[in-house]
Amino acid sequence: MGIMRLGYAHVRVTDMTEAKNHYGSTMGLYETLEDVSPEGNKRTFYKGWDEWDHHSVVLEEGGVGVVKYGWKAQHEADIEAIENKAKTFGLTVERMSAGENPEVGDGIRFTTTSDHVFEVYHSQTAIGTEVGTHNPDPFPRHLVGIGVPALDHSLITCEDPKLMEKLLMDVFDFYPTERIQTSLEDDHELAGTWLTSNNQIHQMAVIGGPQGKLHHFAFRLDDWSQVGHAADLLTMDDVAVDVTPTRHGITRGQTTYFFDPSGNRNEVFGGGYLAFPDRPTNVWTVDQIGKGIFYHSRELNERFTSVLT
Amino acid sequence: MATIIVQPSGAEIFISPDDTVLAGLQKAGYACTVGCRRGGCGICKVDVLEGSFTYNRRVADSVITATERADGTCLSCRAVPDEDLTIQMRDASLRLVNPLLGQLNAKARERARAASTAPEEQ
Ligand code: FES
């Protein structure tokens, strides 16, 4: 099927000790590796309790924002197919060797039209979920903090969301589930787009803004009650909360946004409908953008489109 | 306890030791533009006209450039005054609070301008 999921988000943090406190103790991710990058920066690798691969979040000390994203392809052969499609699209693709990222196999790497680095790989060392696969219990008994099960999706900004949407469609075979358009006419501008390759409502979303920026990366939760519980824990841990629990009109998901100690925005995201490739794309017109992003307040706050790392 | 003089009004506020400039302003009742409050987004910048401050955390070069480190730019959510400060708030009364909508409006203006000038070009 090509790209199965967003495999990892690799982000920069200004202080590793504070960051580990957030991602380990508050979010409840499991640390799988600590090392030093070839450039000499401290790194920490994490997985969620319901993920089986070695890592889904990589923190690298030295700045803020996103370093790169990893995308896991289902078959070895998908890598070459995606490489060819990327070249046809006009991108410069380089080969990535096993071990360039710890515990990640061979793959490819390219910089998108949005100025983000994408890596595509097929194998990553399997560790197993915290509940195992033999008669598994529904969750680990001793979850730490929020205890997020998995990485879910990310939202990035770029100057030309339409071109980035085309890239994700042409190269990754993604399809858009939701769009924000200036009108319903053919000559509309695309203000934002939400895309996926599977039943997950979105794996990557793109809105208009500066090139190469991170808006947020999100962790999966089941529903309202978990989102509310997460917000309680964020307050107990004095995390800077951006948006208290609400629903998105776009995706129908339930959400809370907050900032890690370096200022990178995180989200916990619950619910949302199942996506299918033959599903008509939901379209939001710009006059309804507030309701699309924050369904209850129906107002797009100042921070949503201006606070980026 | 340091004093911050807030320009353009010249209002004077007291700030408790170890409080950041932003915390001081907020505790004194000022509404400011804030984002992450963690030194990552750069939204909370003010200009320091007089006095010095120290960042209570490492601040990324992508948030405060080398020039900004020298020209009095102050990331208010991470800056703690060393002494009395005179600061200048940024943002005039007309603030673009939503750049995405601003960007779309700019494109609409361009289109409208193109449409209105098109007949003359023919
Ligand atoms: S509010 Fe984000 S850097 Fe100060």
Side-chain angles (χ1 to χ4, degrees):
Chain A
M1 74 167 284
I3 299 293
M4 287 192 295
R5 65 173 174 275
L6 176 60
Y8 49 84
H10 184 145
V11 297
R12 288 192 189 86
V13 296
T14 41
D15 182 287
M16 188 57 84
T17 309
E18 284 190 333
K20 284 177 70 160
N21 201 24
H22 175 77
Y23 289 98
S25 307
T26 301
M27 302 312 294
L29 293 168
Y30 292 76
E31 186 178 319
T32 54
L33 180 72
E34 255 190 308
D35 76 351
V36 173
S37 74
E39 300 78 35
N41 302 327
K42 276 190 213 163
R43 292 191 301 198
T44 309
F45 295 70
Y46 288 102
K47 71 183 277 294
W49 67 260
D50 210 17
E51 291 169 325
W52 44 93
D53 277 353
H54 181 267
H55 59 263
S56 60
V57 171
V58 183
L59 308 181
E60 177 165 343
E61 199 171 61
V64 284
V66 63
V67 177
K68 60 192 180 186
Y69 294 100
W71 298 93
K72 191 168 191 188
Q74 186 173 11
H75 303 292
E76 187 83 58
D78 291 330
I79 296 176
E80 202 184 316
I82 292 167
E83 178 177 27
N84 290 333
K85 282 185 268 190
K87 284 180 177 164
T88 308
F89 190 85
L91 301 167
T92 308
V93 185
E94 66 178 73
R95 285 265 162 181
M96 160 176 112
S97 316
E100 278 185 44
N101 296 289
E103 314 296 333
V104 177
D106 291 330
I108 54 169
R109 179 185 301 124
F110 58 86
T111 301
T112 63
T113 55
S114 65
D115 282 345
H116 294 86
V117 175
F118 279 12
E119 292 177 336
V120 181
Y121 63 98
H122 160 65
S123 73
Q124 189 181 126
T125 306
I127 288 189
T129 71
E130 300 301 311
V131 293
T133 47
H134 298 169
N135 310 318
D137 288 314
F139 53 86
R141 175 165 298 230
H142 300 291
L143 281 177
V144 173
I146 298 170
V148 290
L151 177 68
D152 194 78
H153 67 267
S154 187
L155 170 57
I156 55 176
T157 66
C158 68
E159 282 162 11
D160 190 345
K162 201 163 200 159
L163 184 62
M164 190 56 192
E165 180 187 73
K166 186 168 162 44
L167 184 154
L168 288 163
M169 292 172 77
D170 289 5
V171 181
F172 276 4
D173 283 329
F174 277 20
Y175 61 95
T177 55
E178 306 249 357
R179 281 190 178 124
I180 303 175
Q181 300 178 181
T182 47
S183 76
L184 299 175
E185 310 303 321
D186 287 344
D187 67 348
H188 64 259
E189 300 277 341
L190 191 65
T193 177
W194 281 249
L195 301 105
T196 190
S197 64
N198 56 23
N199 284 158
Q200 195 186 333
I201 179 65
H202 61 321
Q203 294 174 70
M204 181 56 71
V206 185
I207 59 168
Q211 286 285 99
K213 287 287 189 178
L214 170 68
H215 186 280
H216 71 267
F217 61 106
F219 298 97
R220 187 174 310 153
L221 291 178
D222 290 340
D223 54 30
W224 274 120
S225 66
Q226 290 192 350
V227 171
H229 184 63
D232 289 341
L233 287 164
L234 294 171
T235 300
M236 285 182 207
D237 286 357
D238 203 23
V239 172
V241 171
D242 183 27
V243 181
T244 54
T246 185
R247 182 194 286 284
H248 291 302
I250 295 167
T251 74
R252 266 182 232 158
Q254 297 127 20
T255 175
T256 282
Y257 286 113
F258 47 100
F259 296 103
D260 78 5
S262 310
N264 296 306
R265 195 191 272 99
N266 294 161
E267 178 187 24
V268 286
F269 179 90
Y273 56 84
L274 280 185
F276 293 94
D278 66 338
R279 188 186 198 290
T281 302
N282 286 357
V283 177
W284 295 81
T285 46
V286 166
D287 58 312
Q288 294 295 312
I289 197 171
K291 208 164 148 186
I293 307 277
F294 299 121
Y295 190 66
H296 301 143
S297 72
R298 282 159 280 167
E299 237 176 65
L300 189 51
N301 70 31
E302 172 174 5
R303 291 182 305 278
F304 193 80
T305 53
S306 59
V307 171
L308 309 163
T309 55
Chain B
M1 187 176 257
T3 304
I4 299 184
I5 296 172
V6 188
Q7 299 295 13
S9 70
E12 208 170 297
I13 67 164
F14 286 118
I15 168 166
S16 311
D18 298 331
D19 264 358
T20 60
V21 171
L22 179 65
L25 288 170
Q26 288 184 327
K27 284 184 186 174
Y30 282 82
C32 322
T33 306
V34 292
C36 66
R37 288 158 282 158
R38 294 294 183 267
C41 68
I43 290 291
C44 64
K45 287 173 188 170
V46 300
D47 294 302
V48 167
L49 308 177
E50 245 177 89
S52 71
F53 59 86
T54 308
Y55 289 122
N56 65 1
R57 297 282 197 292
R58 214 174 305 167
V59 172
D61 295 341
S62 59
V63 180
I64 292 281
T65 63
T67 332
E68 286 177 320
R69 281 184 198 265
D71 71 4
T73 298
C74 166
L75 197 64
S76 66
C77 73
R78 285 305 192 198
V80 176
D82 297 328
E83 54 182 337
D84 291 354
L85 290 185
T86 303
I87 64 168
Q88 170 94 42
M89 303 301 284
R90 294 187 176 184
D91 304 327
S93 54
L94 180 67
R95 294 189 299 154
L96 177 63
V97 295
N98 196 320
L100 179 59
L101 294 180
Q103 198 179 312
L104 293 169
N105 186 268
K107 284 185 183 166
R109 279 201 313 276
E110 269 169 42
R111 271 197 306 276
R113 199 168 300 143
S116 68
T117 54
E120 291 163 20
E121 284 165 8
Q122 279 165 6

